Amino acid sequence: MNWSKAKTILILFFLMVDSFLLYQIVVTNQDKNYVSDEVIKNTVTILEKNQINVAPELIPNKKGSVKLFESDNIISDYESFSKLFLGNDLTKVSDTAYSGVGGKVEFWGDKFRFTSSSLLFVGKPKKNDILSFFQDKGIKLTGCEFYEEDNVFYLKKFENKLEVFNSFIKVENTDKTVISGLWFERKPDGFTSSTGLNPSTSALIDFLSSQDKPNAEITILNIEKGYNIYEPETFHKSIMPAPVWEIEHTMGNAYIDARKN
Amino acid sequence: MNKEHVKSILLTGLVGMNIVLGSQILLDKKLWSSDYNFFNIENFSILKFFKGAQNNDESFKKVSHLTMPEKIIFNTGDQTTRFSLNSNNKEYTDIIEYCNEVLISALSSSSISEITQDEWFSSLMTESIYLSYYSEYDTELFSKFLGVPETLLSEHSGGFSNAVISLYDNVTVYIDDAKSDKYYRIKTGNRFSDFKKIAKEIIKNHNLSETGQDAINYSFDLNFDKTFGSQKTVISSMVPIYSNAQSVPVVTAESPWSDFSEPYVNSTKNAIVKAFSLNSNIANRYTEADGTTVYVENNATLKIHPDGLLEYKARDNGLPLSGSGGRYNIISAVNEFVTNINNISKANDSMYISSGVGEESDIITFDYICEGFPVKMSIGDLSNAVYCQISNGCIKEYRHILRNYNRTDSVISTPEYILAVDNIIQQYSSVTQEVTINKLYLAYTDSGSNQNLSADWTADVEAIVLNEEE
């Protein structure tokens, strides 16, 4: 037997087989991590039939995963939090409101609002002004992005480059200062695990049947993944923010749970 | 390097790459659908066979610990030398296995005869062992718990909570039927020499060691099971009456996590979440103001309180129990689940079924045993350590108070038995009521964690109004 010739044939054979196997793996991984154009096209069609307009290029085609983490409410309890703003000499107005010389602090579940008796910032507060204000009270705010809109100043919360959509600090500083918000800080032990995400197309289909879908024709403006604080109308001492898809549309926003079952 | 050498290296490399790529495809389940992947481990028929054997509905796995009596009384033939043992005594552990062997033999016997109440009482006046159970057992279920699939006794007696094993030549078992006030004698036809030897050894050692003995009479011995004139309070015939105050240890009650670090507690919580088939990655998880950790999925909510209370509520069908239907399988599966939760949490795993075994009720409750005595829960509206509601073979609602009970160095004397009876009579006595004390026993009462508990007399009382005043 001409062994040299046999080796040549075997090399060609294994080259073809290995190429085929490699192609299979790449294509299958693509399917695992990306939504196909056909699925996006079908999703757009279904949405249009239900009076929801969306441009295909707006729909993220990557599935991916997100990291999960536990975070602590900056409000440990209503009275202690109120003391940070009003001092120890405060009066309990109700279970969810305290007042003092410095102003008034009110609570709704995880949300708070401090209305100061006077202006706390000179002119337009900057990001560092707000951070320093909280730092002086022993509250360190991390992962913040600052922006201003109509003379109202916001800090938005980000974790692992993803926005925590309903977490914010809002500062109004006109005739008096009003600071309101909902804020959780990630625990020191960091990210606990990660979870795969349902694709954005699944979230859009889920949106069709959710109570957040308006009964009118809408256009979707943006779809983005991030985190949400679950049931902020109830107080939580700590929470694991839920990965969600934010669907921004012409009549508001909707948040669809993105976790893979 | 010549051309042939290069070709050999290239071929070797390509073969190696082929093996690697092929393995990756075959072993990565996500690259196959489970419908047709021959290599999918779940489809291996031989493994399916073993799984099927494990899930066999007819495998009467012994859950004999569920048949442990609350106490056993050794009748010596002399009322003044009777003595009782509970699970805290070493001799109890020695004898109970033998007792179960005798009961297994009786449950397998066909020699069953109905007897009179006098003969039942007579069995307690000779050398015998009286077994008093925590609650009434369905005969068929009791039999299955001991590993006897079927028993002829169930055709005579639907259920019982007392049994007597006589130490005669051929060991005989007596049953007091709970539903019909009938009594049965079952001959085992077996001498059970070892059992009798151990029993008599225990009796002998007890007689030698005890001085100033506490005399035990049954209510019927003293005619306390009968009304006399204006005295309308009776004590059920089989209730033991102790002449002296009892010495019982003081114990502490605490959550099993009270001394553990946060990382350990968190990993225990994750294990509990998994036991309830919740996914801690998917469930919404948050902590309430009082430190309760809540896990919410679409189909269920699980709350883990810092004091050791677990609360599970299903919104759909519920958590399926292992094994298929049938009362025995349901109770076994619930028992297995409860044991698993106790093991995960490092809680006290000594428990008994307190809801009665046999009724087709969809509620099953368990309570703790501490130092051989039952523990009564009284925390808010929680009156059992474990409450489990079943529907169609699934757990719909589940509450479990995790506890550890630790003995302290203190021992206290309970009030005398007769004072306890007097208190009950005073509490219930009225010319319009006839009162029956069905059970009077020592129990701990747990009303919250981190406290010292001492056992006290606890009564199950039935009050019947004779004449209603208009």
Side-chain angles (χ1 to χ4, degrees), chain A residues 4 7-8 10-11 14-15 17-18 21-22 25 28 32 68 70 193-194 230 235-240 242 259-261, chain B residues 4 7-8 10-11 14-15 17-18 21-22 24-25 28 30-31 262 280-289 291 296:
Chain A
S4 176
K7 270 201 277 190
T8 308
L10 283 172
I11 285 169
F14 276 108
L15 257 176
V17 170
D18 287 349
L21 291 178
L22 205 54
I25 288 171
T28 311
K32 257 195 323 186
L68 300 175
E70 294 247 14
S193 56
S194 60
Y230 179 74
F235 177 73
H236 305 103
K237 204 166 172 181
S238 68
I239 202 165
M240 187 172 77
R259 285 166 292 191
K260 208 174 219 169
N261 288 325
Chain B
E4 286 309 309
K7 278 165 86 173
S8 299
L10 187 58
L11 182 59
L14 285 171
V15 169
M17 191 169 148
N18 187 270
L21 292 177
Q24 196 173 350
I25 289 177
D28 187 347
K30 289 173 192 162
L31 297 176
E262 197 179 323
S280 57
N281 279 348
I282 291 174
N284 284 313
R285 179 165 84 213
Y286 58 88
T287 306
E288 292 179 336
V296 181

Side-chain angles (χ1 to χ4, degrees), chain B residues 314-337:
Chain B
R315 274 186 277 283
D316 61 357
N317 296 331
L319 179 67
L321 290 165
S322 58
S324 63
R327 191 75 181 151
Y328 169 80
N329 286 330
I330 296 284
I331 293 177
S332 297
V334 172
N335 173 67
E336 201 179 316
F337 186 81

